[in-house]
Amino acid sequence: MLVRHLNSAIDWHARVFNYMHEHGMYPAYNLSQLLNNDVRNANRALQMREEE
């Protein structure tokens, strides 16, 4: 049962990754863009914290 659930989770992860990658939502092979997105998201999180 555990193996079946693990394989199912891996399958869904692959589907989501492929969809996002094909639609330009996840630049998995562009490190500088990934890092820029991480910095932008971190800054957003810090701004949200300051607004509270």
Side-chain angles (χ1 to χ4, degrees), residues 24-50:
M25 297 178 199
Y26 186 67
Y29 302 105
N30 185 338
L31 182 58
S32 63
Q33 192 172 357
L34 283 173
L35 293 174
N36 286 335
N37 289 344
D38 287 346
V39 169
R40 187 181 70 237
N41 289 335
N43 287 327
R44 284 182 186 168
L46 292 172
Q47 288 175 352
M48 291 171 55
R49 184 176 171 205
E50 292 173 0

Side-chain angles (χ1 to χ4, degrees), residues 3 5 13-15 22 30 32-33 39-40 51:
V3 171
H5 285 284
H13 182 272
R15 289 180 190 201
E22 288 171 4
N30 185 338
S32 63
Q33 192 172 357
V39 169
R40 187 181 70 237
E51 293 173 359

